[in-house]
Amino acid sequence: VGFNNIDVVEAKRRGIAVTNTPGALTDTVAEHTIALILSLTCRIVEGDSFTRKGKFKGWAPMLLLGMDLKGKTLGVLGAGRIGSRVAHHAKNGFDMNIIYFDVKRNEEFEKEHNAKYFATADEVLKEADIVSVHVPLLDSTRHIINKERLAMMKRSAYLINTSRGAIIDEEALVEALKNKVIKGASLDVFENEPKLARGLAK
């Protein structure tokens, strides 16, 4: 959909036309976002690893408890096509409350998802149980999630990113996870793909 992985200057120099296809992957990315939310809050990856390593010794009532989504608050950063579909699934599929921030208020988004608008990303970060990022990579959005903003989130909150890797300062995220500033994160994209920030794999 975007041009972030295309050397547009070189393409232009060679006379190669480059176009994009807005909307082509809207449902795909939205469904993938929901999958990441569920895998994180239900601790599916942890449970899979735990079992494959032979650590599962039988039923235990407190083993790998996750977080139910019903009644929790999803904070959407970026209320465009994908953010709207994620809100749709979260609201209609899981009875979540929806709050959002976008550079432009979206009354249709509010009406469709019974969503509450906040004038700043900071307010969303402070209120949400899960933050899902759906903004384009611009100078104004690079590292929009940084050390200061991670510190604004609830200690029980989760961060999901299916937009662009450089939206998040990965070094700050590693420190936040290590120090339990937030509960967890699920990333579809990385700041310096395919390289991960030091410590992120842990």
Side-chain angles (χ1 to χ4, degrees), residues 16 25 28 37 50-51 77 81 83 87 91 138 153 172 177:
I16 299 170
L25 296 173
T28 303
I37 291 171
F50 186 83
T51 304
L77 299 184
R81 290 183 303 273
K91 180 71 180 169
L138 308 166
M153 295 174 66
L177 293 169

Side-chain angles (χ1 to χ4, degrees), residues 98-102 116-124 127:
I98 310 298
I99 61 176
Y100 81 101
F101 163 75
D102 199 296
K116 183 177 180 183
Y117 172 72
F118 286 100
T120 67
D122 294 359
E123 293 172 278
V124 171
E127 292 289 324

Side-chain angles (χ1 to χ4, degrees), residues 48-63:
D48 179 76
S49 176
F50 186 83
T51 304
R52 290 176 190 272
K53 289 177 181 174
K55 294 181 178 180
F56 180 64
K57 304 301 179 191
W59 180 82
M62 305 303 285
L63 180 63

